[in-house]
Amino acid sequence: MNVQWMRLSPPRILVLGFAGIILLGTLLLMLPASSRSGVSLPFIDALFTATSAVCVTGLVVVDTGTHFSTLGQIVIAILIQIGGLGFMTMSTLVAIAFKRRISLRERLILQEAMNQSTMEGIVRLIRKVVVYSLILEGICGTLFAIRWSFDMPMGQAIYYGYWHAISMFNNAGFDMFGEFRSLTGYVYDPLVNFTAMFLIIAGGIGFVVLSDLVEYRRTKKLSLHSKVVLLATGLLIVFGALVIFVFEFSNPRTLGGLNWGGKILGSFFQSITPRTAGANTVDIAGLRQATQFFLIILMFIGASPGSTGGGIKTTTFIIMAGAVIAMMRGREDIVFFRYRLLQERIFKALTITLLALLLIIAVTMVLSTTEDSSFLMILFETTSAFGTVGLSMGLTLKLTTIGKLLICFTMFAGRLGPITLAYALGQKKGKELYRYPEGKMIIG
């Protein structure tokens, strides 16, 4: 059995590893002690919650704050942390703690899990991942605790602070404020807003970028990857906030009833959160249809590679946009910051985008026949699941059993990535020993 396990490819090990964590989480959440009522949660609901937690999505079929006991909430927080950092990261941390050598095969799996192009420095990166995560969650959890100590007993404020810091940094979107209201009660609060937005961005830009930023004072340089990620992230946040501000300025159900400070905070928060975070400070169902469709686009793009978020990733989006611009200008190469991209990168970006679109289209079509809801609501829910976002227009609570299973699969595929899942399910083929002659086709 051990020999068979060692023969598995890294993508298959990742798929089986995440599936095993989800199954374990499902069994723990089904325990009567995990529910406040002492009644066991149905298997399908426990599976949905565990999948959402491990895939750091945030879509829920039962309210986290009112349904689950302290034990259940702690289980969810642990699943979020494992899912956000990756089970291979956690297992490597244990191995390092016991001073066990990390084998070549484990390094290959880590390379796949962290979406890195090389194994060089992978174990050092894992150490940084854990350290940065704990420091950021600790600092921001303390800020949350201080703020919420004015609204609740100190013990509860500390518990809520660190629990939500874990959820926000891992871009999970789970909350414990009850009645599925997320952070809508803090739309005017600058401390809660800025702390949450910082955690979401820090978790979403990726650990390689975080490492580059931390070491910038010493190195005085950023990698091409970090420059592209920071540029894309900044542009998407500012442009997204502007679009939301314009579309929702006069909407009485969202920004219309807020003062200027609330409108600006609300616009920026709702621009950042579709990047796979899932928390919200205004009613998502109350947004205008144009805004909801715009959020679908942001959710599809998602966070950055090697992060706690999902989506096709910012770098994929930028490469696709760069290819369009290069073609329109009559240029053969895509150039960023005076670096030319390899054709392999372009093909990979195209593959990821098309596979993601096909998955979303297929799931949306099936859900349109199984669920009694509008097309936009179903598309929004499906894209939210694929991007591991967690925002919802209200469909999650009304999903049928088939609908829940489909959304679970979509969250799973979104967390692992469509290419990793395709590699895991497909047969490994050797390198082709020949090439066909070049042909020409008319396009456009």
Side-chain angles (χ1 to χ4, degrees), residues 114-115 204-209 225 229 303-307 313-316:
M114 299 302 293
N115 201 16
I205 59 176
F207 296 109
V208 172
V209 181
H225 171 79
V229 165
S304 300
S307 71
K313 304 297 190 293
T314 53
T315 48
T316 302

Side-chain angles (χ1 to χ4, degrees), residues 65-379:
T66 56
H67 179 87
F68 291 103
S69 64
T70 303
L71 173 63
Q73 293 167 357
I74 291 175
V75 168
I76 290 174
I78 293 173
L79 292 177
I80 291 171
Q81 190 76 80
I82 294 174
L85 301 184
F87 80 96
M88 278 304 300
T89 300
M90 304 303 288
S91 62
T92 302
L93 177 64
V94 173
I96 292 173
F98 284 97
K99 298 181 179 180
R100 187 175 68 82
R101 183 178 176 275
I102 309 300
S103 68
L104 177 62
R105 180 163 186 78
E106 288 169 332
R107 291 171 191 264
L108 283 170
I109 300 170
L110 285 171
Q111 178 187 342
E112 179 75 25
M114 299 302 293
N115 201 16
Q116 297 297 296
S117 58
T118 176
M119 287 189 296
E120 184 180 356
I122 193 70
V123 176
R124 187 164 59 251
L125 176 61
I126 295 302
R127 288 195 182 99
K128 292 177 181 179
V129 165
V130 176
V131 171
Y132 296 161
S133 301
L134 294 178
I135 290 175
L136 291 175
E137 289 172 356
I139 293 173
C140 294
T142 302
L143 292 176
F144 278 144
I146 293 171
R147 169 59 187 87
W148 289 329
S149 65
F150 294 97
D151 299 339
M152 58 188 73
M154 179 57 75
Q156 185 181 6
I158 294 173
Y159 176 60
Y160 270 42
Y162 292 112
W163 198 97
H164 286 90
I166 292 172
S167 178
M168 296 297 172
F169 177 76
N170 289 288
N171 282 212
F174 281 81
D175 73 275
M176 295 198 297
F177 292 103
E179 301 177 1
F180 306 97
R181 57 195 175 103
S182 192
L183 298 177
T184 53
Y186 297 95
V187 64
Y188 285 111
D189 195 305
L191 180 59
V192 172
N193 275 263
F194 284 119
T195 303
M197 287 190 288
F198 172 76
L199 280 170
I200 293 167
I201 294 171
I205 59 176
F207 296 109
V208 172
V209 181
L210 275 179
S211 178
D212 273 3
L213 290 175
V214 171
E215 296 179 0
Y216 182 76
R217 290 183 61 183
R218 179 177 60 84
T219 62
K220 300 298 180 183
K221 65 178 182 179
L222 294 174
S223 65
L224 173 64
H225 171 79
S226 295
K227 289 178 181 178
V228 172
V229 165
L230 292 174
L231 174 65
T233 301
L235 289 176
L236 287 170
I237 289 173
V238 174
F239 179 71
L242 181 62
V243 170
I244 293 169
F245 183 84
V246 171
F247 284 174
E248 298 298 318
F249 183 84
S250 60
N251 186 352
R253 297 183 62 186
T254 55
L255 302 183
L258 306 179
N259 60 28
W260 276 91
K263 291 178 191 292
I264 294 173
L265 276 178
S267 298
F268 273 97
F269 196 96
Q270 266 57 236
S271 173
I272 291 171
T273 194
R275 310 292 303 294
T276 84
N280 57 285
T281 57
V282 300
D283 181 18
I284 299 299
L287 295 170
R288 291 192 168 109
Q289 288 190 353
T291 312
Q292 291 169 342
F293 188 76
F294 179 69
L295 293 188
I296 289 174
I297 298 173
L298 291 180
M299 291 191 297
F300 181 73
I301 296 172
S304 300
S307 71
T308 60
I312 63 170
K313 304 297 190 293
T314 53
T315 48
T316 302
F317 171 72
I318 286 293
I319 289 173
M320 296 296 291
V324 172
I325 294 172
M327 179 62 69
M328 292 174 65
R329 291 182 174 180
R331 297 177 179 175
E332 293 185 1
D333 297 327
I334 301 175
V335 179
F336 293 125
F337 298 101
R338 299 184 179 180
Y339 283 95
R340 173 177 57 87
L341 291 186
L342 294 175
Q343 198 173 48
E344 174 197 352
R345 302 288 95 185
I346 303 169
F347 284 151
K348 186 173 183 180
L350 178 62
T351 303
I352 290 172
T353 303
L354 285 179
L355 286 176
L357 281 173
L358 289 173
L359 174 64
I360 290 173
I361 290 170
V363 173
T364 301
M365 288 177 64
V366 176
L367 288 178
S368 295
T369 63
T370 62
E371 313 302 315
D372 185 19
S373 296
S374 68
F375 175 78
L376 183 63
M377 182 178 286
I378 293 172
L379 178 62

Side-chain angles (χ1 to χ4, degrees), residues 8-15 112 115 344-345 347-349 351-352 355 416-429:
L8 292 175
S9 64
R12 288 183 178 178
I13 291 176
L14 288 177
V15 169
E112 179 75 25
N115 201 16
E344 174 197 352
R345 302 288 95 185
F347 284 151
K348 186 173 183 180
T351 303
I352 290 172
L355 286 176
L416 286 167
I419 285 187
T420 299
L421 196 62
Y423 283 164
L425 297 177
Q427 294 293 323
K428 186 177 180 181
K429 295 183 179 180

